[in-house]
Amino acid sequence: MTGWLQVGLLVLALGLAHKPLGDWMARVFTAEKHWRVEKLAYRVVGVDADAEQRWPTYLRSVLAFSLVGVLLLYSLQRLQALLPLGNGMPGVEPSSAWNTAVSFVTNTNWQGYAGESTMGHLVQMAGLAVQNFVSAAVGLAVLVALVRGFLRRGTDRLGNAWVDITRAVVRLLLPLAVVATVVMVLGGVVQNLSAGTDVTTLAGGSQFVPGGPVASQEAIKELGTNGGGFFNANSAHPFEGPTAWVSLFQVFLMLLIPFSLPRTFGRMVGDRKQGLAILGVMGLLAAVSVSLISTFQAGALPEGQEVRFGGPLSSLFAAATTLTSTGAVNSMHDSYTPLGGMVTLFNMMLGEVAPGGVGSGLYGMLVLAVVAVFVAGLMVGRTPEYLGKKLGRREMTLASLYILTTPAIVLVGTAVAVAVPAGQAGMLNSGPHGLSEVLYAFTSAGNNNGSAFAGLSANTPFWNTALGLAMLLGRFVPIVLVLALAGRLAAQGKVPVTAGTLPTHRPLFAGLLTAVVLVVVGLTYFPVLALGPLAEGLS
Amino acid sequence: MTAVLDRTPAPEQTRPTIEWGPALAGAVRKLDPRGLVRQPVVFTVWVGSVFSTVLAVLEPTVFGWAIAVWLWLTVLFANVAESVAEGRGKAQAASLRRAKTTAVAITEDGREVAAADLRPGDRVVVVAGQQIPGDGDVVAGIASVDESAITGESAPVIRESGGDRCAVTGGTTVLSDRIVVQITSKPGETFVDRMIALVEGAARQKTPNETALNILLSSLTIVFLLAVVTLQPVAVYAGAGQSMTVLIALVVCLIPTTIGALLSAIGIAGMDRLVQRNVLAMSGRAVEAAGDVGTLLLDKTGTITLGNRQAARFVPVGSASDDEVARAAVLASLADETPEGRSVVVLGGGAVDRPAGAEFVEFTAQTRMSGVDLPGGRQLRKGAAGAVQAWVRGLEGSVDPSVGTVVADISTAGGTPLVLAENGPDGARVLGVIELKDVVKPGMRERFDELRRMGIRTVMITGDNEATARAIAAEAGVDDVLAEATPEDKLALIAREQEGGRLVAMTGDGTNDAPALAQADVGVAMNTGTSAAKEAGNMVDLDSDPTKLIEIVAIGKQLLITRGSLTTFSIANDLAKYFAILPAMFAPVFPGLDTLNVMRLHSPESAILSAVVFNALIIVALVPLALRGVRYRPGTASALLSRNLLVYGVGGVVLPFVGIKAIDLLVSLIPGIS
């Protein structure tokens, strides 16, 4: 009962925010004027904010920005012992620092380390939290470039990456994060600069109580679908998730931007129904996923669940965090029933599109829509076109490579890890469950989710390097393809809509798109799922 | 089905016989991997067949050999599909080759040269009974030419120098007179050469859309290849390592072999459907573009209306009665053998006997009227309004004041007024006005409604004035008109439509149509047209029937629909194959996975073999469908999509469950499999 109430509240809150936030985001990326603080930033960096970029330039900007992010974050971690606010922590070991730097820049936030015993406050605030903001902003920028590709005609310009990233941070993520921080502090999430206190407990024992800027980190962790916890236990830690309603609020924050973006998309392309169709697909997939996890988890042992708040909230959180590429957890997915755990795995395998990460979810969904339109478009007897853009050889090459990329990373990674001794060394479980854990790790990294099944001691050079590569490729190869696609689309003219045009805003198409998502993903991963969670769950 | 489809590629009407024998021979020749590389999906199966054969030789088992044989059959069936499609063009090519018999041509100055050596600009003389040695234009003379070798039409046509009937095609035969032809084609590139290449499929290149689909299919092939290749280490880790044969079988079942095998056959068959309708597409691109056409430019005369105007109404003026006018009109037209004249007789109640001693007056360009002088002095005249009224006034007769109004009204409404007058004992007077009208071909309105539902805009092109054009357009139900159209206007209209992103199709025959034909995305030149027009267009209609444009659009759409539907079908099939193969592979190690064996297949070996056999047989089963195209009914995109999704999507999911189960029941009887 409580479970249904929580879901109801969540849907209501998301529904209320959908319109105003979606419209606001559309304005953020279409407004002519720069804010004063933004102008200042452009001047400092030396960017001509009014110059529009071609797709290769846009891509170079995004990649350069991310590369600098990786280097900065890596240096901060390695040098934290020499810098202030280090809380006496030593410099982070190289393979872990590389893994973490890549992890946060790619919006994955896979954590091979334990936050409270590895990262000082400076790294947390100036390194990790900053990437929480800007990695989400990069996702938004790439999405906006793709939407402009659909929108524009006969041009090679896609907007300005620097402007899009800056605006995403200044006009969207910062204000929302401030509000969310205040709400969480009110809810009891810790926010201070204390290095931690040793206290004597009532029983006379001695305990170390950690402190730190948790609430501010927590806000953007969920809002930007990042998921990197301040503490190792993530949102299951009482200082990160003190009460049931704060936990539910965190679920809301994860879903907030991804579920509002379809509205932004509809607004920008000038047909809100197009956005609605996409929203419908995302909503349907998410609803099915929540129901399945809840069903498989009903009556499951409480081990690994967030027992303070009850099983349903654990299931809801688990669904939301894997559906959105967040990867924050308030319970341990590894302890779920095999089939319940399989759904969290499958959520990520969908390619993080329902609704997916900030920006990345929608651009992934739009690429899948391109594939769906191609097949469906042929079936109505025309060269397929989506939003007035013809899908020819080059467009299909890019879309095909996109849907090929993540499965390749996940499957090759998993196969290599279980085949080589260095990979097997990190596996604590054997049999189908051990396999599920490895599969989960690569699925999480390749799809930039960041959550983990436990049971893997992943803080080893092999795992840090392999998962780091998976995250890097899983983030940037698709970005290259999406921006190239955006460039192709923008260069085209626009085909007018006639009665012979495949309508892409009706339930029929939404259903078809859902089927394409499920079939493409299902067929790719069915064999390996059969050996992992299915073998475990059906025995 | 309404009129559009009575003549459109209603697939049932064109179910051709399939020559399986020669096709099989061709299919075996196509096993050469060098040719197969062009079809990535089939090539993957070929590689799998080689591997599984080697495995079967090294470790002979019934299962291993059965898989190897059926994989080879899968490749063979894919080749058969292509061979069958090509085979249908071969017969036509052979008859065309027979047309190319002339070896020697005689130049204007009397030299003999080999026909193969003729260059553009050379002039040759062709007399009655000789074959025209190459494509060209008549520069002197007039002749009747038998073009049946190319068009299949046995009635000879007139070809003369100058004007729009000067083009002759190499391989046709002059029946009378003597003409001088200036050659316009390069050796080996004549119209007949190109036709042969086209119908044989030798000139076939992948069309843009086919390439895009091929890329998607390749990508899916790679995904499934990866899924299976990476499965092995995982399976080994899980203690359920698989034999190479089983893995190959899994890959072949998962990759989209059905559509991969049929893709090129669908393309060839699409071109062939055009050839069957006597349309030659100079590029596959044009066929695809036909499916995308958003605007259709149609000439009024001959396409929308019958070629000639017809009498529609008699309007009596003054004291004349209806009956009187009708009788007079029939008498005045008895000798008028023009279609207009005959239609007047029909409207007036049919022919009557010619009164003895009547003298008929022929129409001339000077008098602009015709009629009859009856014995007894009565004279009847019909003709252009001005001419007849002048005749009456010249005889000091009376012209009723209403005549001017009636004539003006008819003109405004798009008709042609003919004034009818008599000069009798009571003097000369105007009896009435005959209204001639353009008659819209029956069923055109339904066709245009159909096109509108398909999202295609129709524009009528005519040299008539705006008012006339509008009236006919309204009657025929076209969306727009281009009146008093000059070639420049047409070109501008096409450019305007294309600016808005629409693809434009048109027909044309005259030299002045050439720029517009070239500009249009689908330009269908009439075979009777000039070589300039034929050169500019990307299709030639041998029947010279402008209405065929509508069929061409339908064929283009059907081609794409067939590809899309079979792709959907092919991918949907995979679900059942998984349910057959995965439990077979892993249930021995993880008994729980037997739950997935929903078809309750007999044994692991029979399950895998059944999936492979189904995968091969479905190709053969779909060859006829690929050749004739899936059923196409004009309608909105939504209606088409729902229907095709239901048939090929849902059907594609369900059918293999049934098929694999049925095959399993048979396969399980083979000793060594169970």
mmCIF file of all heavy atoms in Angstrom, chain A residues 375 378-379 381-383 393 397 404 427 435 496 499-503 506 523 538, chain B residues 209 211 215 223 234 237 291-292 453-454 500 557 560-561 568 578 592 637-638 641 644:
data_model
loop_
_atom_site.group_PDB
_atom_site.id
_atom_site.type_symbol
_atom_site.label_atom_id
_atom_site.label_comp_id
_atom_site.label_asym_id
_atom_site.label_seq_id
_atom_site.Cartn_x
_atom_site.Cartn_y
_atom_site.Cartn_z
ATOM 1 N N VAL A 375 12.727 1.253 -40.318
ATOM 2 C CA VAL A 375 12.021 0.014 -40.656
ATOM 3 C C VAL A 375 10.541 0.295 -40.930
ATOM 4 O O VAL A 375 9.972 -0.150 -41.924
ATOM 5 C CB VAL A 375 12.181 -1.015 -39.521
ATOM 6 C CG1 VAL A 375 11.356 -2.262 -39.820
ATOM 7 C CG2 VAL A 375 13.644 -1.372 -39.343
ATOM 8 N N LEU A 378 9.891 2.194 -44.244
ATOM 9 C CA LEU A 378 9.886 1.346 -45.430
ATOM 10 C C LEU A 378 8.527 0.682 -45.582
ATOM 11 O O LEU A 378 8.008 0.543 -46.677
ATOM 12 C CB LEU A 378 10.963 0.266 -45.297
ATOM 13 C CG LEU A 378 12.404 0.702 -45.460
ATOM 14 C CD1 LEU A 378 13.329 -0.490 -45.294
ATOM 15 C CD2 LEU A 378 12.614 1.321 -46.826
ATOM 16 N N MET A 379 7.948 0.307 -44.436
ATOM 17 C CA MET A 379 6.685 -0.430 -44.512
ATOM 18 C C MET A 379 5.521 0.438 -44.990
ATOM 19 O O MET A 379 4.452 -0.085 -45.277
ATOM 20 C CB MET A 379 6.358 -1.054 -43.163
ATOM 21 C CG MET A 379 7.019 -2.406 -43.007
ATOM 22 S SD MET A 379 6.364 -3.325 -41.620
ATOM 23 C CE MET A 379 7.036 -2.451 -40.257
ATOM 24 N N GLY A 381 6.120 2.509 -47.543
ATOM 25 C CA GLY A 381 6.417 2.730 -48.949
ATOM 26 C C GLY A 381 7.084 4.047 -49.285
ATOM 27 O O GLY A 381 6.881 4.595 -50.357
ATOM 28 N N ARG A 382 7.853 4.576 -48.352
ATOM 29 C CA ARG A 382 8.596 5.791 -48.670
ATOM 30 C C ARG A 382 10.009 5.669 -48.130
ATOM 31 O O ARG A 382 10.269 4.857 -47.258
ATOM 32 C CB ARG A 382 7.944 7.001 -47.974
ATOM 33 C CG ARG A 382 6.513 7.145 -48.295
ATOM 34 C CD ARG A 382 6.142 8.475 -48.751
ATOM 35 N NE ARG A 382 6.756 9.575 -48.053
ATOM 36 C CZ ARG A 382 6.331 10.817 -48.253
ATOM 37 N NH1 ARG A 382 5.346 11.051 -49.076
ATOM 38 N NH2 ARG A 382 6.902 11.816 -47.631
ATOM 39 N N THR A 383 10.901 6.500 -48.648
ATOM 40 C CA THR A 383 12.191 6.608 -48.006
ATOM 41 C C THR A 383 11.897 7.127 -46.611
ATOM 42 O O THR A 383 11.251 8.150 -46.456
ATOM 43 C CB THR A 383 13.094 7.601 -48.760
ATOM 44 O OG1 THR A 383 13.314 7.089 -50.050
ATOM 45 C CG2 THR A 383 14.405 7.762 -48.045
ATOM 46 N N ARG A 393 21.664 6.546 -46.357
ATOM 47 C CA ARG A 393 22.793 5.678 -46.059
ATOM 48 C C ARG A 393 23.625 6.193 -44.881
ATOM 49 O O ARG A 393 23.901 5.467 -43.941
ATOM 50 C CB ARG A 393 23.680 5.587 -47.313
ATOM 51 C CG ARG A 393 24.865 4.685 -47.182
ATOM 52 C CD ARG A 393 25.558 4.530 -48.524
ATOM 53 N NE ARG A 393 26.035 5.800 -49.046
ATOM 54 C CZ ARG A 393 27.187 6.376 -48.678
ATOM 55 N NH1 ARG A 393 27.953 5.789 -47.782
ATOM 56 N NH2 ARG A 393 27.576 7.521 -49.190
ATOM 57 N N THR A 397 24.105 4.587 -41.217
ATOM 58 C CA THR A 397 25.418 4.120 -40.779
ATOM 59 C C THR A 397 25.671 4.582 -39.350
ATOM 60 O O THR A 397 26.073 3.806 -38.483
ATOM 61 C CB THR A 397 26.523 4.687 -41.701
ATOM 62 O OG1 THR A 397 26.159 4.402 -43.046
ATOM 63 C CG2 THR A 397 27.859 4.064 -41.397
ATOM 64 N N LEU A 404 25.304 -0.414 -32.042
ATOM 65 C CA LEU A 404 26.290 -1.488 -31.979
ATOM 66 C C LEU A 404 27.282 -1.263 -30.838
ATOM 67 O O LEU A 404 27.789 -2.209 -30.241
ATOM 68 C CB LEU A 404 27.025 -1.509 -33.329
ATOM 69 C CG LEU A 404 28.066 -2.546 -33.622
ATOM 70 C CD1 LEU A 404 27.435 -3.916 -33.601
ATOM 71 C CD2 LEU A 404 28.684 -2.280 -34.991
ATOM 72 N N MET A 427 36.676 -11.785 -8.908
ATOM 73 C CA MET A 427 35.322 -12.301 -8.713
ATOM 74 C C MET A 427 35.247 -13.104 -7.421
ATOM 75 O O MET A 427 35.958 -14.070 -7.220
ATOM 76 C CB MET A 427 34.930 -13.183 -9.896
ATOM 77 C CG MET A 427 34.843 -12.406 -11.201
ATOM 78 S SD MET A 427 34.743 -13.467 -12.652
ATOM 79 C CE MET A 427 33.141 -14.215 -12.376
ATOM 80 N N LEU A 435 28.826 -14.640 -12.589
ATOM 81 C CA LEU A 435 28.739 -14.137 -13.953
ATOM 82 C C LEU A 435 27.860 -12.887 -14.030
ATOM 83 O O LEU A 435 28.212 -11.902 -14.681
ATOM 84 C CB LEU A 435 28.169 -15.244 -14.840
ATOM 85 C CG LEU A 435 28.043 -14.880 -16.308
ATOM 86 C CD1 LEU A 435 29.427 -14.652 -16.880
ATOM 87 C CD2 LEU A 435 27.330 -15.976 -17.050
ATOM 88 N N PRO A 496 8.155 17.990 -46.366
ATOM 89 C CA PRO A 496 6.888 18.366 -45.746
ATOM 90 C C PRO A 496 6.078 17.138 -45.333
ATOM 91 O O PRO A 496 6.202 16.073 -45.919
ATOM 92 C CB PRO A 496 6.170 19.146 -46.849
ATOM 93 C CG PRO A 496 6.750 18.623 -48.112
ATOM 94 C CD PRO A 496 8.169 18.257 -47.812
ATOM 95 N N ALA A 499 -0.106 13.083 -46.032
ATOM 96 C CA ALA A 499 -0.840 11.898 -45.557
ATOM 97 C C ALA A 499 0.000 10.645 -45.735
ATOM 98 O O ALA A 499 -0.244 9.630 -45.104
ATOM 99 C CB ALA A 499 -2.146 11.752 -46.314
ATOM 100 N N GLY A 500 0.995 10.718 -46.611
ATOM 101 C CA GLY A 500 1.842 9.556 -46.851
ATOM 102 C C GLY A 500 3.004 9.460 -45.880
ATOM 103 O O GLY A 500 3.788 8.535 -45.945
ATOM 104 N N THR A 501 3.137 10.466 -45.008
ATOM 105 C CA THR A 501 4.238 10.469 -44.055
ATOM 106 C C THR A 501 3.892 9.574 -42.876
ATOM 107 O O THR A 501 2.772 9.591 -42.394
ATOM 108 C CB THR A 501 4.484 11.895 -43.536
ATOM 109 O OG1 THR A 501 4.562 12.770 -44.652
ATOM 110 C CG2 THR A 501 5.774 11.961 -42.747
ATOM 111 N N LEU A 502 4.878 8.833 -42.431
ATOM 112 C CA LEU A 502 4.665 8.001 -41.254
ATOM 113 C C LEU A 502 4.482 8.905 -40.039
ATOM 114 O O LEU A 502 5.366 9.683 -39.711
ATOM 115 C CB LEU A 502 5.899 7.118 -41.056
ATOM 116 C CG LEU A 502 5.956 6.334 -39.764
ATOM 117 C CD1 LEU A 502 5.082 5.105 -39.876
ATOM 118 C CD2 LEU A 502 7.371 5.946 -39.442
ATOM 119 N N PRO A 503 3.322 8.845 -39.374
ATOM 120 C CA PRO A 503 3.152 9.716 -38.211
ATOM 121 C C PRO A 503 3.954 9.171 -37.029
ATOM 122 O O PRO A 503 3.858 7.990 -36.702
ATOM 123 C CB PRO A 503 1.641 9.638 -37.936
ATOM 124 C CG PRO A 503 1.145 8.442 -38.647
ATOM 125 C CD PRO A 503 2.168 7.989 -39.641
ATOM 126 N N ARG A 506 1.895 9.183 -32.822
ATOM 127 C CA ARG A 506 0.705 8.420 -32.450
ATOM 128 C C ARG A 506 1.094 7.211 -31.602
ATOM 129 O O ARG A 506 2.226 6.758 -31.631
ATOM 130 C CB ARG A 506 0.002 7.922 -33.724
ATOM 131 C CG ARG A 506 -0.385 9.036 -34.661
ATOM 132 C CD ARG A 506 -1.905 9.095 -34.812
ATOM 133 N NE ARG A 506 -2.300 10.138 -35.741
ATOM 134 C CZ ARG A 506 -2.475 9.935 -37.040
ATOM 135 N NH1 ARG A 506 -2.283 8.725 -37.543
ATOM 136 N NH2 ARG A 506 -2.834 10.913 -37.823
ATOM 137 N N LEU A 523 17.270 -9.286 -27.908
ATOM 138 C CA LEU A 523 17.940 -10.275 -28.750
ATOM 139 C C LEU A 523 19.444 -10.266 -28.519
ATOM 140 O O LEU A 523 20.098 -11.294 -28.561
ATOM 141 C CB LEU A 523 17.626 -10.016 -30.222
ATOM 142 C CG LEU A 523 16.172 -10.231 -30.652
ATOM 143 C CD1 LEU A 523 16.014 -9.958 -32.129
ATOM 144 C CD2 LEU A 523 15.700 -11.637 -30.334
ATOM 145 N N LEU A 538 15.806 -19.427 -12.618
ATOM 146 C CA LEU A 538 14.867 -20.462 -13.043
ATOM 147 C C LEU A 538 15.214 -21.828 -12.465
ATOM 148 O O LEU A 538 14.541 -22.808 -12.730
ATOM 149 C CB LEU A 538 14.821 -20.542 -14.577
ATOM 150 C CG LEU A 538 14.248 -19.316 -15.283
ATOM 151 C CD1 LEU A 538 14.310 -19.493 -16.794
ATOM 152 C CD2 LEU A 538 12.812 -19.057 -14.857
ATOM 153 N N ASN B 209 18.428 3.445 -50.861
ATOM 154 C CA ASN B 209 17.687 2.887 -49.756
ATOM 155 C C ASN B 209 18.106 1.460 -49.439
ATOM 156 O O ASN B 209 18.191 1.041 -48.288
ATOM 157 C CB ASN B 209 16.226 2.926 -50.163
ATOM 158 C CG ASN B 209 15.370 2.612 -49.022
ATOM 159 O OD1 ASN B 209 15.110 1.455 -48.776
ATOM 160 N ND2 ASN B 209 14.987 3.624 -48.298
ATOM 161 N N THR B 211 21.060 0.317 -49.905
ATOM 162 C CA THR B 211 22.344 0.432 -49.231
ATOM 163 C C THR B 211 22.137 0.713 -47.750
ATOM 164 O O THR B 211 22.766 0.104 -46.886
ATOM 165 C CB THR B 211 23.166 1.579 -49.854
ATOM 166 O OG1 THR B 211 23.140 1.414 -51.260
ATOM 167 C CG2 THR B 211 24.572 1.561 -49.368
ATOM 168 N N ILE B 215 23.235 -1.604 -44.574
ATOM 169 C CA ILE B 215 24.075 -1.174 -43.458
ATOM 170 C C ILE B 215 23.437 -1.594 -42.135
ATOM 171 O O ILE B 215 24.094 -2.135 -41.244
ATOM 172 C CB ILE B 215 24.288 0.351 -43.505
ATOM 173 C CG1 ILE B 215 25.260 0.676 -44.637
ATOM 174 C CG2 ILE B 215 24.805 0.868 -42.185
ATOM 175 C CD1 ILE B 215 25.295 2.118 -45.010
ATOM 176 N N VAL B 223 26.251 -7.362 -34.432
ATOM 177 C CA VAL B 223 25.773 -7.457 -33.050
ATOM 178 C C VAL B 223 25.586 -8.922 -32.652
ATOM 179 O O VAL B 223 26.045 -9.363 -31.604
ATOM 180 C CB VAL B 223 24.447 -6.684 -32.869
ATOM 181 C CG1 VAL B 223 23.797 -7.047 -31.543
ATOM 182 C CG2 VAL B 223 24.684 -5.191 -32.911
ATOM 183 N N VAL B 234 31.977 -16.968 -21.863
ATOM 184 C CA VAL B 234 31.063 -16.910 -20.731
ATOM 185 C C VAL B 234 30.502 -18.304 -20.440
ATOM 186 O O VAL B 234 30.421 -18.740 -19.295
ATOM 187 C CB VAL B 234 29.927 -15.907 -21.030
ATOM 188 C CG1 VAL B 234 28.878 -15.948 -19.939
ATOM 189 C CG2 VAL B 234 30.491 -14.507 -21.172
ATOM 190 N N TYR B 237 33.067 -20.479 -18.879
ATOM 191 C CA TYR B 237 33.176 -20.135 -17.456
ATOM 192 C C TYR B 237 32.035 -20.789 -16.676
ATOM 193 O O TYR B 237 32.222 -21.289 -15.576
ATOM 194 C CB TYR B 237 33.130 -18.617 -17.299
ATOM 195 C CG TYR B 237 32.981 -18.188 -15.863
ATOM 196 C CD1 TYR B 237 34.097 -18.144 -15.006
ATOM 197 C CD2 TYR B 237 31.742 -17.851 -15.338
ATOM 198 C CE1 TYR B 237 33.966 -17.775 -13.688
ATOM 199 C CE2 TYR B 237 31.605 -17.482 -14.008
ATOM 200 C CZ TYR B 237 32.721 -17.450 -13.192
ATOM 201 O OH TYR B 237 32.580 -17.098 -11.884
ATOM 202 N N GLY B 291 8.486 6.035 -55.242
ATOM 203 C CA GLY B 291 7.707 5.785 -54.042
ATOM 204 C C GLY B 291 7.599 7.000 -53.152
ATOM 205 O O GLY B 291 6.679 7.123 -52.345
ATOM 206 N N ASP B 292 8.539 7.919 -53.293
ATOM 207 C CA ASP B 292 8.587 9.101 -52.427
ATOM 208 C C ASP B 292 7.886 10.299 -53.025
ATOM 209 O O ASP B 292 7.842 11.355 -52.402
ATOM 210 C CB ASP B 292 10.053 9.515 -52.208
ATOM 211 C CG ASP B 292 10.775 8.532 -51.328
ATOM 212 O OD1 ASP B 292 10.094 7.683 -50.748
ATOM 213 O OD2 ASP B 292 12.004 8.631 -51.216
ATOM 214 N N ARG B 453 -5.053 10.652 -50.558
ATOM 215 C CA ARG B 453 -4.936 9.897 -49.310
ATOM 216 C C ARG B 453 -3.525 9.356 -49.118
ATOM 217 O O ARG B 453 -3.081 9.141 -48.018
ATOM 218 C CB ARG B 453 -5.935 8.735 -49.292
ATOM 219 C CG ARG B 453 -7.315 9.164 -48.848
ATOM 220 C CD ARG B 453 -8.139 7.984 -48.383
ATOM 221 N NE ARG B 453 -8.548 7.098 -49.460
ATOM 222 C CZ ARG B 453 -9.546 7.379 -50.296
ATOM 223 N NH1 ARG B 453 -10.204 8.513 -50.181
ATOM 224 N NH2 ARG B 453 -9.875 6.544 -51.240
ATOM 225 N N MET B 454 -2.840 9.112 -50.213
ATOM 226 C CA MET B 454 -1.451 8.658 -50.119
ATOM 227 C C MET B 454 -0.507 9.829 -49.861
ATOM 228 O O MET B 454 0.701 9.626 -49.742
ATOM 229 C CB MET B 454 -1.036 7.987 -51.437
ATOM 230 C CG MET B 454 -1.649 6.630 -51.662
ATOM 231 S SD MET B 454 -1.742 6.196 -53.428
ATOM 232 C CE MET B 454 -0.033 6.063 -53.877
ATOM 233 N N GLY B 500 10.302 23.051 -51.532
ATOM 234 C CA GLY B 500 9.547 22.691 -50.334
ATOM 235 C C GLY B 500 9.803 21.260 -49.885
ATOM 236 O O GLY B 500 9.158 20.784 -48.963
ATOM 237 N N LYS B 557 6.502 2.356 -54.327
ATOM 238 C CA LYS B 557 6.107 2.163 -52.930
ATOM 239 C C LYS B 557 6.133 0.686 -52.564
ATOM 240 O O LYS B 557 6.609 0.297 -51.503
ATOM 241 C CB LYS B 557 4.696 2.722 -52.695
ATOM 242 C CG LYS B 557 4.664 4.239 -52.623
ATOM 243 C CD LYS B 557 3.330 4.706 -52.115
ATOM 244 C CE LYS B 557 3.289 6.218 -52.016
ATOM 245 N NZ LYS B 557 4.225 6.744 -51.016
ATOM 246 N N LEU B 560 9.577 -0.603 -51.638
ATOM 247 C CA LEU B 560 10.047 -0.267 -50.291
ATOM 248 C C LEU B 560 9.279 -1.044 -49.228
ATOM 249 O O LEU B 560 9.846 -1.515 -48.244
ATOM 250 C CB LEU B 560 9.905 1.237 -50.050
ATOM 251 C CG LEU B 560 10.735 2.132 -50.956
ATOM 252 C CD1 LEU B 560 10.538 3.590 -50.597
ATOM 253 C CD2 LEU B 560 12.203 1.792 -50.826
ATOM 254 N N ILE B 561 7.979 -1.174 -49.438
ATOM 255 C CA ILE B 561 7.163 -1.884 -48.447
ATOM 256 C C ILE B 561 7.617 -3.335 -48.333
ATOM 257 O O ILE B 561 7.703 -3.890 -47.241
ATOM 258 C CB ILE B 561 5.669 -1.810 -48.828
ATOM 259 C CG1 ILE B 561 5.189 -0.372 -48.734
ATOM 260 C CG2 ILE B 561 4.832 -2.697 -47.929
ATOM 261 C CD1 ILE B 561 3.773 -0.178 -49.211
ATOM 262 N N THR B 568 11.188 -6.658 -41.062
ATOM 263 C CA THR B 568 10.466 -6.826 -39.803
ATOM 264 C C THR B 568 10.231 -8.304 -39.528
ATOM 265 O O THR B 568 10.453 -8.794 -38.425
ATOM 266 C CB THR B 568 9.113 -6.101 -39.900
ATOM 267 O OG1 THR B 568 9.359 -4.772 -40.332
ATOM 268 C CG2 THR B 568 8.415 -6.074 -38.561
ATOM 269 N N TYR B 578 15.448 -18.210 -30.556
ATOM 270 C CA TYR B 578 16.077 -18.202 -29.231
ATOM 271 C C TYR B 578 15.429 -19.237 -28.323
ATOM 272 O O TYR B 578 16.101 -19.974 -27.613
ATOM 273 C CB TYR B 578 15.926 -16.825 -28.584
ATOM 274 C CG TYR B 578 17.125 -15.929 -28.755
ATOM 275 C CD1 TYR B 578 16.976 -14.581 -29.031
ATOM 276 C CD2 TYR B 578 18.419 -16.431 -28.609
ATOM 277 C CE1 TYR B 578 18.071 -13.742 -29.175
ATOM 278 C CE2 TYR B 578 19.520 -15.606 -28.757
ATOM 279 C CZ TYR B 578 19.335 -14.266 -29.039
ATOM 280 O OH TYR B 578 20.421 -13.460 -29.187
ATOM 281 N N GLY B 592 16.996 -25.622 -14.997
ATOM 282 C CA GLY B 592 15.923 -24.627 -14.876
ATOM 283 C C GLY B 592 15.596 -23.981 -16.204
ATOM 284 O O GLY B 592 14.460 -23.567 -16.463
ATOM 285 N N ALA B 637 -0.443 6.471 -44.402
ATOM 286 C CA ALA B 637 0.714 5.786 -43.839
ATOM 287 C C ALA B 637 0.308 4.980 -42.619
ATOM 288 O O ALA B 637 0.775 3.856 -42.417
ATOM 289 C CB ALA B 637 1.789 6.808 -43.485
ATOM 290 N N SER B 638 -0.573 5.535 -41.803
ATOM 291 C CA SER B 638 -0.974 4.837 -40.576
ATOM 292 C C SER B 638 -1.628 3.506 -40.895
ATOM 293 O O SER B 638 -1.326 2.481 -40.271
ATOM 294 C CB SER B 638 -1.966 5.680 -39.777
ATOM 295 O OG SER B 638 -1.326 6.803 -39.290
ATOM 296 N N LEU B 641 0.902 1.031 -42.113
ATOM 297 C CA LEU B 641 1.791 0.569 -41.060
ATOM 298 C C LEU B 641 1.090 -0.453 -40.177
ATOM 299 O O LEU B 641 1.656 -1.506 -39.869
ATOM 300 C CB LEU B 641 2.289 1.756 -40.233
ATOM 301 C CG LEU B 641 3.264 1.398 -39.127
ATOM 302 C CD1 LEU B 641 4.514 0.746 -39.681
ATOM 303 C CD2 LEU B 641 3.645 2.633 -38.324
ATOM 304 N N ASN B 644 0.784 -3.819 -42.079
ATOM 305 C CA ASN B 644 2.024 -4.544 -42.292
ATOM 306 C C ASN B 644 2.665 -4.994 -40.985
ATOM 307 O O ASN B 644 3.293 -6.043 -40.931
ATOM 308 C CB ASN B 644 2.994 -3.702 -43.114
ATOM 309 C CG ASN B 644 2.520 -3.547 -44.540
ATOM 310 O OD1 ASN B 644 1.920 -4.464 -45.084
ATOM 311 N ND2 ASN B 644 2.755 -2.402 -45.131
#
